[in-house]
């Protein structure tokens, strides 16, 4: 029974995903996989799953923080037109606190600044994860090329 994956077709069985590697020798027969390569592939697969999950989580957090910034900007724009003596309610957790307009505007500016800092940190972490993933893939490619050169020699 075959199941369609993202970009490749995988045959379901009790055996691990990577069961045989074809060697580039004259006979063309399949050899048992090199245990080092097999282990590296499995580690890379697990690392890719974890990294992709972390990247998706970062994207969701960034989107949430951007919405909060937009909300604070719109709120600030609305209360900007009010006189400074106007008493307004500021949301704090699950309650509302009665404040004046300048205090609420300062709180909104602080909220925007902290959210922008968090976004910058998340973007940097996301770039690090993507770089780490590419580096792992390149290391695995080098390992495969080295094994192929040894097998040919």
């Amino acid at each position: 029974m075959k199941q369609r994956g993202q970009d490749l077709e995988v045959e379901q069985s009790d055996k691990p995903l990577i069961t045989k590697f074809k060697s580039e020798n004259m006979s063309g027969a399949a050899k048992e996989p090199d245990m080092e390569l097999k282990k590296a592939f499995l580690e890379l697969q697990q690392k890719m799953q974890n990294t992709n999950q972390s990247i998706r989580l970062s994207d969701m957090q960034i989107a949430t923080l951007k919405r909060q910034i937009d909300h604070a900007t719109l709120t600030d724009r609305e209360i900007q037109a009010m006189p400074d003596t106007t008493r307004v309610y500021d949301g704090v957790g699950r309650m509302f606190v009665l404040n004046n307009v300048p205090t609420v505007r300062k709180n909104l500016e602080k909220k925007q600044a902290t959210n922008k800092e968090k976004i910058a940190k998340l973007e940097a972490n996301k770039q690090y994860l993507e770089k780490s993933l590419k580096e792992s893939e390149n290391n695995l490619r080098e390992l495969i090329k080295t094994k192929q050169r040894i097998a040919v020699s």
Side-chain angles (χ1 to χ4, degrees):
M1 175 176 166
K2 290 191 177 184
Q3 177 181 345
R4 186 78 177 147
Q6 287 181 350
D7 291 333
L8 49 111
E9 221 170 275
V10 179
E11 187 168 323
Q12 283 188 325
S13 67
D14 295 333
K15 297 178 184 177
L17 180 63
I18 302 167
T19 55
K20 292 186 178 180
F21 295 98
K22 291 186 178 177
S23 64
E24 303 275 335
N25 61 11
M26 288 184 233
S27 64
K31 280 188 173 179
E32 282 298 314
D34 184 6
M35 293 309 289
E36 186 179 359
L37 280 175
K38 185 175 181 179
K39 183 178 178 184
F41 272 114
L42 292 175
E43 287 175 3
L44 177 65
Q45 184 180 18
Q46 184 177 16
K47 184 173 183 175
M48 284 179 65
Q49 289 173 349
N50 292 339
T51 303
N52 287 332
Q53 183 178 7
S54 297
I55 289 172
R56 283 192 304 270
L57 180 64
S58 294
D59 285 338
M60 290 187 325
Q61 289 173 339
I62 289 169
T64 301
L65 291 171
K66 284 182 179 179
R67 279 193 300 272
Q68 288 176 357
I69 289 173
D70 291 343
H71 184 266
T73 303
L74 290 172
T75 304
D76 186 43
R77 195 177 305 151
E78 289 294 321
I79 66 171
Q80 183 178 7
M82 296 179 178
D84 288 346
T85 57
T86 305
R87 307 286 286 179
V88 293
Y89 288 96
D90 190 13
V92 181
R94 292 185 178 191
M95 65 180 192
F96 295 95
V97 178
L98 187 62
N99 277 326
N100 56 15
V101 172
T103 305
V104 172
R105 290 191 69 202
K106 285 179 189 175
N107 290 342
L108 289 171
E109 288 172 9
K110 286 180 189 176
K111 190 182 218 181
Q112 289 175 348
T114 56
N115 285 347
K116 287 178 183 177
E117 290 173 9
K118 288 178 183 177
I119 287 173
K121 288 179 184 176
L122 286 169
E123 288 287 347
N125 187 34
K126 182 179 166 185
Q127 288 176 355
Y128 169 77
L129 289 170
E130 289 170 347
K131 180 182 172 185
S132 170
L133 185 63
K134 287 180 183 178
E135 190 174 296
S136 305
E137 289 174 351
N138 289 337
N139 289 341
L140 185 61
R141 284 188 186 105
E142 286 180 27
L143 179 64
I144 292 171
K145 286 180 183 177
T146 304
K147 293 292 181 178
Q148 286 177 347
R149 276 188 242 133
I150 292 173
V152 170
S153 298

